[in-house]
Amino acid sequence: MATVRLEYVAPWWTYWLHNFPHFSFIFQSVDNTFKPEEASYQESLIILACIGAVGLGLSLLVLAAYLVCVCCCRKDMDEDTKRPSSRCVTWAAVVTGLIICSAVGVGFYGNSETNDGVYQLTYSLSSANHTLGGINNLVSGSVGNVETGLKLHLERLDEIFSTKPEYLKALTFMQLMVNNVIRELTALPDMSKADVDLSAIADHTAFVEYYRWLTYLLLLILDLVICLALCLGMAKQSRWLLITVMAFVTLSLILSWASLGAGTATAVGTSDFCVSPDKFIVNQTTDILSADVAHYYLFCSPNLPNPFQQSLTICQRSLTTMQIQIQGLLQFSVPIFPTAERDLLGIQRLLNSTEFSVHQLTALLDCRGLHKDYVDALMGVCYDGVEGLLYLSLFSLLAACALSVMLCATFRVWTRMGSRDKEYDDIDEEDPFNPQARRISYNPRRSNVHSFCSYTSSLGSQSNLNPPPQSASNAVPAPEYMNQSMLFGGSPRYDSVPLIGRGSPPPSYSPSMRTTYLSMTDAQIRHFGTDFQV
């Protein structure tokens, strides 16, 4: 069954990001080839990261100009003019909140995609690290077995077969085979350094990714909390809550622009690597691997020869030849030298284990395993990783613009709430239709007003009162013992007093109350003094 060879093709968005202009600090064009060790290339990425700083500066400039216009160009407008404007400001805040919520959804998706891509990278690096570690262990174990075990057994057999020249000749030939195996295994490239490098890269990448993912998660949650707090502040008309919202909006605005700059620089730098990763890896592994070995694993083409095939073939043939020699010595020398059987069987066991290790080494050194890890790592970084960074950059841009508008709208709502409070404070307290007049807790003149109910209670029940007969001659107009401001002040003890002579439709009250009121004599009026006079 033929195996399908994996191939990597850079996505279109990496080419689009790769074509971004690269400039140094002196605004000189820089080659966009991925060279992180060069200072000019690092400067070009720093300049790309400064896009966030430029956007933040422009946002703050626009906000400052808006605040100046609001503070300096305020005009007194009537309520009919204010209501549509206030409604527009409210709708602007609501629309920007919806935009931020949509941007947060995009941010959650981009954060998840980036995390998946980095996780695939670290998993592939760990898998390649495991393969390289297995190669190092097999090579070192096989060399150790051959150098120590086989040579020790051969030295004892050399003493046992000292009287048999033909057996000594076989031992000499086996020693030559052992040297061949040691030489070929030692000639294999030392993967220990590459193993350490991959392990360090995987650990460092996982560490940075965790805090990157957590930072974006907190930023997304902060934007959601800001939207909820803004809705709550506008619903409750709470000025301190709106002030808190404006403070957190400013913080989120700064973080959004900063994340936009960092995400753009990271996406462009990663795309520069993704466009031509093979060249960069070959240059980085020149001290560890030769060019033919690096190309063998990076491309894994059937047309490329296996650079380890010759060494592995020599090892396999040498081990097979030694197995044949041991079989012959076991058959012919043991009847003559019984003490040699133990060493011969020990050599046979070592040859079997070494041959098994060589088979495993052949499988691990095949390009398909490491090439698959390499392609998986590129797919994770250049597809999911860069795509997630693009979504995160889009989230940062949308959030930054929407937060700027939200800050202006929130400030406008806050100022309108302050102006409305001033309008309420300017209303005349003596206005009977002013709802704040009910809050007046003390009035010296009203404190001396006696309760009509208390007066009637001192005279006895209403049934004991004998009102004088009414005539046209002694009919006295009922005094207006309470003015309108007192009645509209909200004092609860005057609620049951008949409202006669106030010029307003009286409430429904019983005839006994009317009779009691009309029965007041001049002496009683003098008793109350001017308390009931207008």
Side-chain angles (χ1 to χ4, degrees):
M1 181 178 179
T3 58
V4 179
R5 187 172 65 89
L6 298 176
E7 293 184 357
Y8 164 74
V9 179
W12 63 267
W13 53 80
T14 57
Y15 287 100
W16 177 65
L17 292 172
H18 177 67
N19 292 327
F20 270 28
H22 293 62
F23 295 101
S24 62
F25 288 157
I26 58 176
F27 295 100
Q28 184 178 0
S29 179
V30 178
D31 186 16
N32 55 5
T33 304
F34 186 69
K35 298 177 181 179
E37 68 279 357
E38 293 186 1
S40 59
Y41 184 80
Q42 295 175 3
E43 292 176 1
S44 65
L45 295 183
I46 293 175
I47 290 178
L48 288 175
C50 292
I51 292 177
V54 174
L56 178 61
L58 292 176
S59 297
L60 295 179
L61 184 62
V62 171
L63 291 174
Y66 176 79
L67 296 180
V68 170
C69 293
V70 169
C71 295
C72 297
C73 301
R74 293 181 58 186
K75 297 180 180 179
D76 295 331
M77 297 179 295
D78 55 1
E79 293 185 2
D80 294 337
T81 308
K82 287 179 181 178
R83 286 177 182 175
S85 179
S86 178
R87 189 180 299 112
C88 292
V89 173
T90 303
W91 276 108
V94 172
V95 171
T96 53
L98 293 177
I99 294 176
I100 291 176
C101 292
S102 302
V104 167
V106 175
F108 271 111
Y109 177 77
N111 198 30
S112 177
E113 284 292 302
T114 305
N115 185 258
D116 291 341
V118 176
Y119 174 78
Q120 188 172 353
L121 170 64
T122 55
Y123 180 82
S124 300
L125 289 176
S126 299
S127 179
N129 184 47
H130 179 73
T131 301
L132 296 178
I135 293 173
N136 291 329
N137 293 333
L138 289 174
V139 171
S140 59
S142 299
V143 172
N145 289 336
V146 172
E147 284 182 341
T148 59
L150 287 180
K151 285 187 176 182
L152 183 61
H153 288 298
L154 289 175
E155 288 176 358
R156 285 203 294 261
L157 288 175
D158 189 67
E159 295 177 359
I160 295 172
F161 297 151
S162 59
T163 58
K164 288 290 185 177
E166 59 275 15
Y167 295 158
L168 293 175
K169 185 177 181 180
L171 293 178
T172 303
F173 182 74
M174 290 178 64
Q175 185 65 44
L176 179 62
M177 296 295 102
V178 169
N179 293 334
N180 289 338
V181 171
I182 294 174
R183 184 182 67 252
E184 296 302 329
L185 291 177
T186 308
L188 294 176
D190 186 11
M191 301 292 184
S192 59
K193 186 175 181 180
D195 184 12
V196 173
D197 290 342
L198 289 181
S199 178
I201 292 174
D203 294 340
H204 183 70
T205 303
F207 177 80
V208 173
E209 169 58 21
Y210 173 75
Y211 285 100
R212 185 210 62 80
W213 173 84
L214 183 61
T215 302
Y216 269 102
L217 182 63
L218 294 177
L219 179 58
L220 294 170
I221 295 175
L222 176 62
D223 289 344
L224 289 179
V225 172
I226 286 173
C227 294
L228 295 177
L230 177 63
C231 295
L232 183 62
M234 295 179 64
K236 289 186 173 294
Q237 299 293 312
S238 175
R239 299 188 67 185
W240 69 265
L241 188 55
L242 290 180
I243 293 175
T244 305
V245 168
M246 285 190 288
F248 281 100
V249 166
T250 305
L251 175 62
S252 181
L253 179 65
I254 297 173
L255 294 177
S256 297
W257 282 116
S259 64
L260 177 62
T264 302
T266 304
V268 171
T270 306
S271 298
D272 293 339
F273 167 78
C274 293
V275 168
S276 57
D278 302 329
K279 182 179 179 181
F280 174 74
I281 293 177
V282 169
N283 294 332
Q284 293 295 317
T285 57
T286 53
D287 298 336
I288 305 172
L289 303 174
S290 59
D292 55 343
V293 174
H295 283 86
Y296 173 69
Y297 286 112
L298 294 177
F299 299 103
C300 195
S301 174
N303 299 326
L304 294 175
N306 188 346
F308 311 113
Q309 188 62 45
Q310 183 178 0
S311 298
L312 295 174
T313 301
I314 293 175
C315 289
Q316 186 65 40
R317 289 178 181 178
S318 299
L319 292 173
T320 302
T321 302
M322 284 191 285
Q323 287 279 17
I324 296 173
Q325 294 293 326
I326 291 298
Q327 289 290 338
L329 290 175
L330 284 172
Q331 182 178 1
F332 297 106
S333 64
V334 171
I336 303 173
F337 303 100
T339 56
E341 183 178 7
R342 178 184 176 184
D343 291 314
L344 290 174
L345 292 176
I347 291 175
Q348 191 177 40
R349 286 192 298 269
L350 288 174
L351 290 176
N352 291 333
S353 63
T354 304
E355 189 172 5
F356 179 74
S357 298
V358 170
H359 285 297
Q360 287 184 313
L361 188 60
T362 302
L364 291 178
L365 287 173
D366 188 77
C367 67
R368 287 173 292 183
L370 289 175
H371 181 72
K372 180 181 181 302
D373 295 332
Y374 171 66
V375 173
D376 289 343
L378 290 179
M379 297 290 286
V381 172
C382 302
Y383 279 82
D384 294 340
V386 177
E387 182 183 8
L389 289 176
L390 287 176
Y391 280 109
L392 288 177
S393 299
L394 179 60
F395 150 73
S396 300
L397 181 60
L398 291 176
C401 296
L403 287 171
S404 300
V405 178
M406 177 181 287
L407 190 59
C408 295
T410 307
F411 180 78
R412 189 60 175 168
V413 171
W414 181 77
T415 54
R416 287 187 176 276
M417 291 174 60
S419 61
R420 186 185 61 184
D421 293 341
K422 290 182 179 180
E423 291 172 4
Y424 282 149
D425 293 338
D426 294 338
I427 297 176
D428 186 9
E429 294 179 355
E430 298 298 330
D431 186 2
F433 298 99
N434 179 15
Q436 288 189 355
R438 297 181 176 269
R439 305 175 195 168
I440 302 175
S441 60
Y442 176 75
N443 191 321
R445 182 172 180 177
R446 293 173 194 172
S447 62
N448 297 325
V449 177
H450 300 282
S451 173
F452 181 76
C453 296
S454 63
Y455 168 73
T456 57
S457 63
S458 65
L459 295 178
S461 62
Q462 294 179 4
S463 61
N464 295 328
L465 294 175
N466 296 318
Q470 299 293 327
S471 62
S473 61
N474 60 357
V476 180
E480 294 182 359
Y481 56 89
M482 287 185 295
N483 56 25
Q484 295 178 355
S485 62
M486 287 167 44
L487 289 176
F488 281 89
S491 179
R493 62 178 181 169
Y494 298 109
D495 292 342
S496 60
V497 177
L499 306 178
I500 298 175
R502 292 180 48 217
S504 62
S508 60
Y509 50 87
S510 63
S512 60
M513 294 176 63
R514 177 181 178 88
T515 303
T516 302
Y517 173 71
L518 295 176
S519 65
M520 291 180 61
T521 62
D522 296 337
Q524 294 170 353
I525 295 175
R526 287 194 299 271
H527 171 73
F528 288 102
T530 60
D531 291 344
F532 293 120
Q533 299 301 322
V534 179

